[in-house]
Amino acid sequence: MAVLLTGLSITHFFTSYQQQSLQQQQQQSIARTADNYQKQFERYLLSLELKALRAQQILLRHLTERPVGTLPVSEALPVNDGSWRQRDEWSGVFSPQGRPANKAQPILQASAIAWQQMMPLLQQDFSSVFFMAAEQFIRVAPADWVIHVDKQLPVTTNPLYQLAAPEQNPERTLRWSPIYYDQVWESWIVAVLVPIYQQNEFLGVLGLAINLAELTVNRSNIGHWSPLNRSLLLDEHGQVLQPGVKDSQAAMYAVYQGEPIADPQLAAVAAALPGGADRLAALAPAYLLTSIPIPKLQWTLLLYQDRAQLLASQYDFRFRAMLMSVAIALLLTLLLFGLMHQILLRRLKRLAQAVERLGQGQLPELFLDNKADELGMLNRAFLGMSREISELVQGLNARIAEKERAELQARKLSKAVAFSSSGIAITNQHLEIEYINPFLAEMLAQPAATIHGCSLLKLFANDMQQLSTDISKTLEQRQHWHGDVLLQPGRQAEQGQWVSLAIAPIRDDKGLLTHYVASLQDISFIKQSQKQMEQLAYYDALTGLANRSYFRDQLRKAILMSQRGYFSFALLYFDLDEFKLINDTLGHDAGDELLVEVARRLKGRLRDDDLIARLGGDEFAVILSDIKDKVHAGTIASELQQAFLTPVKLGRQEVAISASIGITVAPDDAVDEELLLKHADLAMYEAKARGKNTYRFFSQDLNDAANERLLIESQLREAIRDQQFLLYYQPKIDLSDETLIGYEALIRWLLPDNTLVPPNRFIHVAESTGLIVPIGEWIILEACRFLARQHSRGYAVSVSINLSVRQFNDEQLTATIERIIQRTGVDPAYLVFEITESMLMGDTDAAIKQLNQLKRLGVSLSIDDFGTGYSSLNYLKRFPVDELKIDRSFVKDIPEDQNDMDIVAAIIAMAQKMQLRVVAEGVESEAQAEFLKQNACYLVQGYYFSMPLAEQELSHLTFSIKTQG
């Protein structure tokens, strides 16, 4: 069967491959044949077009130059139907009924001469040549055509004329007509149509007609490549063109409709044209086919072969090959069977009988040959084996006696292990338990049968699974291990026992490892004592959380584990928002109670593997182990923030709490303990800066910002010491008379290398470090000196000075300003101090007190950036201010933004009602200034008037300055 199946498979494969190759070759042959036909046909059409263009040139030359030549002798045809017909040797002329042509027309005469020259060149290639003139006549060759044409034949309204006329052919290009019927010659015609223009005047259409049968006569030659080739010539609608068909009922110029394809598969292919080769082949599986377009005529050639006819001879060849394969297979099978029986089967039978006797305990007595082949080798091996078995039986008897002695010794050892006060376990070389003594079964609180076959390492608690890997590696390297482990809790116990575990190898006589013996001593009491000591040393007494010392120790361990590639972890740094306010208002006992509740909520939302610690005050830190990525850490941080949603009840009062969280991930961000804590701290402060009650990840930008902040702080101290600051002054203009009435003092920092540092880079650093107080004092002093110099020149101008939050909250602010006023001798009525709304909205009573103290000095007060803060009219009435300053954000979109215009108008009206000055800042266009003036806001400042300038540059201003007196 194997030989037969192999032969049939090979034959089938060979014949199938031959059929496939034949089809591929024929498909390629069809494609080449179609391509050759297309190229030949396109060349033929191109030659016809060139001749048509040559005829166009001849006709145009005669029509344009009006050559003097001999007109051919013509005769008028005697017809009495109202039409005009005439013919000569080369052509005939027809003018329809009711439109007789003028015999003296120049075009008529010139075309007659042109026909004498054209027709010898064209009559071999074209069945007829005609010129349909816009002057309502047709000149045609052969001339007999005009005899039989209908008297009402249209000249300029027929489809051929319209196809080449300007309306449908504005490009004035050569066109091929569709297949149309010529009723005179009773045949289907295709014509080359060439428009004739003389100095942009359309004269008519020159047509060169070819009989459809003559145009497609070469298609029969396609089959010469293969007798199986068949072809169809299809029009643009997929209908078959049959050139020889005549239709005496068809009207003149009727368009050929084609014939439908009878074969359904070929009809489906024709309907799918154009299409890819694979798609067409799928539509007609019974054929090998290809299609190729003839674009000029919008035809398609479909060339195909019947697949069954092509493969008929192959099927007969395959049948004969199959019969031959069956015959050869049967012959080979008989030959192989005879050879195998003579060479192998008889000898194998003797060997089988000898094996059977040996299996019954008898020595074989049959003769086994000793030939050099493989079977002889097998006979020799069998005889040697029978001798070895005999010797083995004798050795076994000796071993049995020895084994009985060893079993007696083993029973003694087993009794000692069974009654030991230590847990004993024996495992195989894979640490799978094969035996435990009763003491260990009692320690584990499990029957020995349930533990048998389990891994010794599976007895450890889940927290010790990482230690299991270290034990396995240590045993592979040193063959023994000793240490403390925590066992899985038993069915009745809530927690497992701590044991001291020692594992040692057991080897056989050859020194090969076969088993391990494990000894377990209960040390739970010792561990409990250690835990109590650790609780005192490593945990916070108030919250029960880990303290700073234990946290730093666990952080170092986590860093080491992450460096070894075990896992990544995230460090979260918590700080409660507004905790100091709660401590100050409700007392420290309430603050402690709040910390205990926060610790309880956080512990309830953390995983068992995570560590949370209280580092001091209201600062908490969490180590999230086994973090996949930042998204994972962010998810857990969001979950932790849910712990703060519910207010905390402290005594009789409920307090809303929130926390700002900074997150850093190791080892991605750093693998240094101090760096990680610094990164988390930076991220936490970034969260507070972003509005609190959120979390932020550490990024290099934060680190760079912190470093830049430290650098700026250091340089600021040097700048204060070295007086590196200077003041710029932005003019304040009165629109009512275009007078300069004052300035706003703006600080600039000029580094020793003449680099100018903008305020937005150092003001916030100065504010947060407290350096803004000495800087602010310097600003007030320098502004007052500037004001004194202006007054000495006779200018009655004011100076506006911005106060920071830290300055405004400074209790010494009033005394400082008073001292500077006395020192510089300026009139305080010309000093304006600007304060933002947000500075007034904290402790409003304290803010009002500070404002009143400033007012007692005689200075003016202004609310800067008005409209962007949170002040209400109720508070505004209580503040002793003199001026409102409209923020530039409301001015910049005037007059484009109607909302901003309405807001500004409302602020101006409100200020006027409250008898306050109103100043608009950020004016940058004439339209903005005009709008403010129309709304009675006359005090403005902005780049439209002047940018901030150094004092020495103010002399370049062209505004009139308000003077004293």
Side-chain angles (χ1 to χ4, degrees):
M1 290 300 295
V3 174
L4 177 61
L5 292 176
T6 301
L8 291 175
S9 299
I10 293 173
T11 302
H12 177 73
F13 173 78
F14 174 75
T15 55
S16 298
Y17 177 76
Q18 188 178 27
Q19 289 180 3
Q20 185 177 3
S21 299
L22 178 61
Q23 293 183 69
Q24 291 177 351
Q25 292 173 2
Q26 288 299 317
Q27 183 66 47
Q28 294 171 359
S29 173
I30 290 173
R32 286 195 300 269
T33 300
D35 186 59
N36 289 338
Y37 177 78
Q38 182 201 38
K39 291 177 180 177
Q40 293 173 9
F41 197 74
E42 289 288 342
R43 285 195 295 269
Y44 176 58
L45 293 178
L46 181 60
S47 68
L48 295 179
E49 290 179 353
L50 292 175
K51 291 179 180 180
L53 294 174
R54 176 59 180 160
Q56 177 194 31
Q57 294 172 358
I58 295 173
L59 180 58
L60 279 174
R61 186 172 67 249
H62 285 81
L63 294 176
T64 304
E65 298 176 0
R66 307 293 186 187
V68 179
T70 303
L71 287 172
V73 178
S74 61
E75 62 172 326
L77 299 176
V79 288
N80 297 318
D81 56 4
S83 64
W84 182 73
R85 308 172 194 244
Q86 188 180 37
R87 69 176 178 180
D88 55 32
E89 180 183 358
W90 296 103
S91 63
V93 179
F94 167 78
S95 182
Q97 184 181 26
R99 303 294 296 270
N102 186 356
K103 297 180 182 180
Q105 283 178 322
I107 295 178
L108 189 63
Q109 295 178 3
S111 63
I113 299 173
W115 243 250
Q116 295 181 70
Q117 295 185 14
M118 288 193 303
M119 287 313 298
L121 300 175
L122 302 178
Q123 60 186 0
Q124 292 183 352
D125 297 292
F126 299 97
S127 59
S128 65
V129 179
F130 55 87
F131 175 61
M132 292 183 286
E135 296 184 358
Q136 297 294 325
F137 71 85
I138 299 177
R139 182 172 293 279
V140 63
D144 292 344
W145 184 85
V146 301
I147 300 175
H148 306 287
V149 71
D150 185 84
K151 63 181 179 179
Q152 294 181 347
L153 178 72
V155 176
T156 59
T157 58
N158 67 76
L160 301 185
Y161 182 91
Q162 294 296 325
L163 183 62
E167 290 78 5
Q168 297 186 27
N169 186 20
E171 300 87 0
R172 306 181 182 181
T173 58
L174 178 147
R175 295 251 179 126
W176 283 92
S177 74
I179 303 171
Y180 68 92
Y181 191 71
D182 190 318
Q183 204 173 38
V184 175
W185 304 127
E186 294 186 353
S187 59
W188 294 99
I189 303 295
V190 176
V192 184
L193 304 176
V194 183
I196 304 299
Y197 286 84
Q198 181 183 16
Q199 298 180 351
N200 290 328
E201 179 185 359
F202 180 65
L203 301 180
V205 177
L206 175 63
L208 298 92
I210 308 101
N211 190 288
L212 179 62
E214 295 177 1
L215 184 61
T216 60
V217 67
N218 289 333
R219 184 164 63 89
S220 60
N221 294 333
I222 298 175
H224 294 170
W225 290 89
S226 170
L228 300 178
N229 281 357
R230 299 291 183 271
S231 65
L232 292 174
L233 197 59
L234 307 177
D235 62 11
E236 61 186 45
H237 304 295
Q239 300 295 309
V240 179
L241 302 181
Q242 295 184 357
V245 175
K246 293 187 178 181
D247 187 355
S248 59
Q249 302 300 321
M252 189 68 173
Y253 300 126
V255 177
Y256 184 71
Q257 299 299 322
E259 299 295 332
I261 303 176
D263 190 296
Q265 293 187 16
L266 295 178
V269 169
L273 291 175
D278 295 339
R279 182 186 176 195
L280 298 181
L283 294 173
Y287 298 96
L288 298 175
L289 53 82
T290 187
S291 67
I292 193 160
I294 302 174
K296 291 181 181 297
L297 299 177
Q298 299 184 357
W299 294 354
T300 302
L301 174 68
L302 183 64
L303 190 62
Y304 62 95
Q305 288 185 7
D306 190 312
R307 198 186 297 266
Q309 188 178 4
L310 175 66
L311 299 178
S313 59
Q314 293 295 317
Y315 291 139
D316 183 59
F317 172 75
R318 172 183 287 186
F319 178 73
R320 292 197 299 271
M322 290 288 185
L323 290 179
M324 185 176 294
S325 296
V326 172
I328 292 173
L330 292 176
L331 181 60
L332 286 175
T333 302
L334 292 175
L335 291 174
L336 287 174
F337 178 77
L339 290 173
M340 289 177 62
H341 184 268
Q342 292 297 324
I343 297 173
L344 296 175
L345 293 181
R346 288 190 300 175
R347 297 168 66 195
L348 284 173
K349 185 175 181 180
R350 288 200 192 95
L351 179 59
Q353 291 174 352
V355 172
E356 184 180 6
R357 291 177 63 84
L358 182 62
Q360 295 173 356
Q362 304 173 9
L363 291 177
E365 299 176 354
L366 296 175
F367 170 75
L368 299 177
D369 60 70
N370 193 21
K371 294 182 179 180
D373 58 6
E374 289 79 358
L375 193 53
M377 292 173 61
L378 185 60
N379 290 336
R380 290 193 296 273
F382 174 74
L383 293 175
M385 182 184 66
S386 63
R387 289 192 295 270
E388 290 178 1
I389 290 174
S390 177
E391 295 173 357
L392 182 61
V393 170
Q394 295 175 2
L396 284 175
N397 292 330
R399 289 287 185 92
I400 289 172
E402 183 180 351
K403 183 179 179 182
E404 289 176 350
R405 292 192 296 272
E407 286 179 352
L408 178 61
Q409 186 67 21
R411 281 195 295 272
K412 295 177 182 179
L413 293 175
S414 177
K415 291 291 184 181
V417 170
F419 292 100
S420 173
S421 59
S422 299
I424 305 295
I426 299 176
T427 73
N428 60 14
Q429 64 269 33
H430 304 298
L431 293 179
E432 294 172 346
I433 297 174
E434 295 182 351
Y435 168 80
I436 62 171
N437 67 349
F439 185 83
L440 180 57
E442 182 179 353
M443 184 186 300
L444 298 173
Q446 296 185 47
T450 62
I451 300 174
H452 183 76
C454 296
S455 173
L456 177 66
L457 304 179
K458 294 295 183 182
L459 300 180
F460 302 166
N462 295 333
D463 296 341
M464 309 298 291
Q465 291 305 311
Q466 187 62 47
L467 183 63
S468 301
T469 304
D470 293 338
I471 292 175
S472 300
K473 291 182 178 179
T474 303
L475 291 177
E476 291 176 1
Q477 297 171 359
R478 296 185 296 174
Q479 301 293 318
H480 64 275
W481 186 87
H482 183 272
D484 297 342
V485 297
L486 178 65
L487 299 180
Q488 290 275 13
R491 296 177 181 176
Q492 304 298 327
E494 294 182 358
Q495 58 183 6
Q497 291 177 290
W498 279 99
V499 296
S500 176
L501 172 65
I503 304 176
I506 300 176
R507 304 180 184 278
D508 60 10
D509 296 338
K510 297 180 181 179
L512 298 178
L513 176 66
T514 60
H515 296 80
Y516 287 102
V517 60
S519 174
L520 295 86
Q521 296 287 339
D522 187 358
I523 58 170
S524 297
F525 177 78
I526 298 174
K527 287 293 183 180
Q528 185 66 27
S529 300
Q530 291 177 348
K531 185 175 181 181
Q532 293 175 355
M533 294 174 64
E534 289 175 356
Q535 185 72 24
L536 296 175
Y538 295 124
Y539 290 89
D540 178 54
L542 176 64
T543 62
L545 302 178
N547 60 15
R548 180 182 293 273
S549 174
Y550 183 68
F551 171 78
R552 297 290 288 262
D553 181 58
Q554 294 302 310
L555 178 60
R556 286 190 287 271
K557 290 180 181 179
I559 291 172
L560 291 174
M561 296 294 282
S562 68
Q563 287 179 311
R564 293 176 184 175
Y566 288 117
F567 56 76
S568 300
F569 71 91
L571 175 60
L572 275 62
Y573 208 89
F574 283 77
D575 188 87
L576 298 182
D577 300 328
E578 309 299 342
F579 177 74
K580 184 177 182 303
L581 178 62
I582 297 174
N583 238 0
D584 293 344
T585 55
L586 301 181
H588 291 282
D589 291 340
D592 290 345
E593 186 180 349
L594 174 62
L595 292 175
V596 171
E597 175 61 19
V598 167
R600 184 189 66 80
R601 293 185 183 185
L602 291 176
K603 282 194 297 185
R605 291 182 177 269
L606 287 172
R607 303 169 300 178
D608 294 338
D609 295 339
D610 301 330
L611 173 68
I612 179 171
R614 180 189 175 209
L615 303 185
D618 62 333
E619 296 180 353
F620 297 85
V622 175
I623 298 176
L624 299 178
S625 60
D626 195 18
I627 293 299
K628 300 176 183 177
D629 49 32
K630 287 189 175 183
V631 176
H632 189 190
T635 302
I636 297 178
S638 298
E639 175 66 22
L640 291 177
Q641 284 194 317
Q642 301 298 314
F644 302 105
L645 294 179
T646 305
V648 178
K649 190 168 185 178
L650 302 177
R652 297 180 179 179
Q653 187 166 355
E654 282 192 350
V655 177
I657 58 173
S658 64
S660 300
I661 306 175
I663 308 173
T664 185
V665 178
D668 296 342
D669 293 340
V671 290
D672 180 78
E673 176 184 354
E674 297 301 330
L675 273 179
L676 283 172
L677 290 171
K678 173 188 172 184
H679 292 169
D681 194 45
L682 287 174
M684 184 269 291
Y685 277 108
E686 175 67 12
K688 282 189 174 296
R690 294 299 181 93
K692 304 179 181 180
N693 193 26
T694 185
Y695 65 85
R696 282 291 181 272
F697 284 94
F698 167 78
S699 66
Q700 190 58 41
D701 292 341
L702 290 178
N703 194 42
D704 294 343
N707 292 334
E708 182 182 15
R709 177 190 176 91
L710 291 175
L711 177 62
I712 290 176
E713 181 180 351
S714 174
Q715 291 176 338
L716 273 176
R717 297 183 188 278
E718 295 179 6
I720 295 171
R721 183 189 66 215
D722 299 335
Q723 296 291 307
Q724 295 176 4
F725 302 104
L726 52 87
L727 288 183
Y728 274 38
Y729 301 92
Q730 186 170 32
K732 187 183 297 183
I733 307 299
D734 188 343
L735 292 177
S736 62
D737 55 4
E738 296 290 330
T739 304
L740 193 154
I741 63 167
Y743 302 90
E744 180 179 2
L746 301 170
I747 190 170
R748 298 293 185 267
W749 179 11
L750 185 64
L751 295 175
D753 61 357
N754 288 329
T755 302
L756 201 62
V757 182
N760 59 0
R761 283 193 59 199
F762 67 89
I763 290 296
H764 68 282
V765 177
E767 179 77 26
S768 62
T769 58
L771 296 176
I772 194 66
V773 174
I775 293 174
E777 184 176 346
W778 179 88
I779 293 173
I780 297 171
L781 176 60
E782 288 300 312
C784 288
R785 286 174 175 172
F786 167 78
L787 185 62
R789 289 192 292 271
Q790 294 294 313
H791 287 176
S792 67
R793 297 186 181 98
Y795 299 145
V797 295
S798 63
V799 172
S800 297
I801 304 169
N802 292 286
L803 293 178
S804 70
V805 177
R806 185 69 68 92
Q807 282 181 281
F808 185 73
N809 294 329
D810 185 7
E811 296 179 356
Q812 300 300 318
L813 175 64
T814 304
T816 300
I817 295 175
E818 184 177 13
R819 184 176 66 253
I820 292 174
I821 291 174
Q822 293 174 355
R823 177 179 173 183
T824 57
V826 299
D827 186 350
Y830 290 90
L831 283 176
V832 181
F833 288 96
E834 297 186 359
I835 305 138
T836 61
E837 289 181 87
S838 57
M839 293 162 56
L840 305 174
M841 289 300 103
D843 188 347
T844 55
D845 293 333
I848 293 173
K849 180 181 179 182
Q850 183 76 299
L851 292 174
N852 286 325
Q853 289 179 354
L854 291 174
K855 285 293 292 181
R856 280 195 289 270
L857 297 177
V859 301
S860 297
L861 299 177
S862 174
I863 296 182
D864 194 14
D865 300 337
F866 185 78
T868 62
Y870 311 94
S871 61
S872 66
L873 294 178
N874 183 41
Y875 283 119
L876 192 59
K877 290 190 302 182
R878 297 174 59 192
F879 295 145
V881 297
D882 306 285
E883 180 181 281
L884 297 182
K885 202 167 188 180
I886 302 173
D887 186 71
R888 68 182 67 249
S889 63
F890 298 114
V891 178
K892 68 182 181 70
D893 291 328
I894 295 174
E896 288 79 10
D897 193 322
Q898 185 62 42
N899 290 331
D900 285 349
M901 294 171 65
D902 295 341
I903 292 172
V904 170
I907 293 175
I908 295 171
M910 179 190 70
Q912 291 173 347
K913 288 292 184 182
M914 299 181 70
Q915 297 183 353
L916 299 176
R917 294 194 306 271
V918 58
V919 180
E921 62 179 356
V923 178
E924 297 182 359
S925 68
E926 181 180 1
Q928 294 171 354
E930 184 63 27
F931 171 81
L932 293 168
K933 186 175 180 180
Q934 291 175 1
N935 285 271
C937 177
Y938 300 104
L939 303 184
V940 295
Q941 64 184 78
Y943 277 31
Y944 177 70
F945 302 99
S946 174
M947 65 175 58
L949 300 172
E951 182 178 359
Q952 59 270 25
E953 297 176 332
L954 295 177
S955 60
H956 300 299
L957 295 173
T958 59
F959 296 101
S960 299
I961 304 178
K962 183 178 180 181
T963 58
Q964 297 176 347

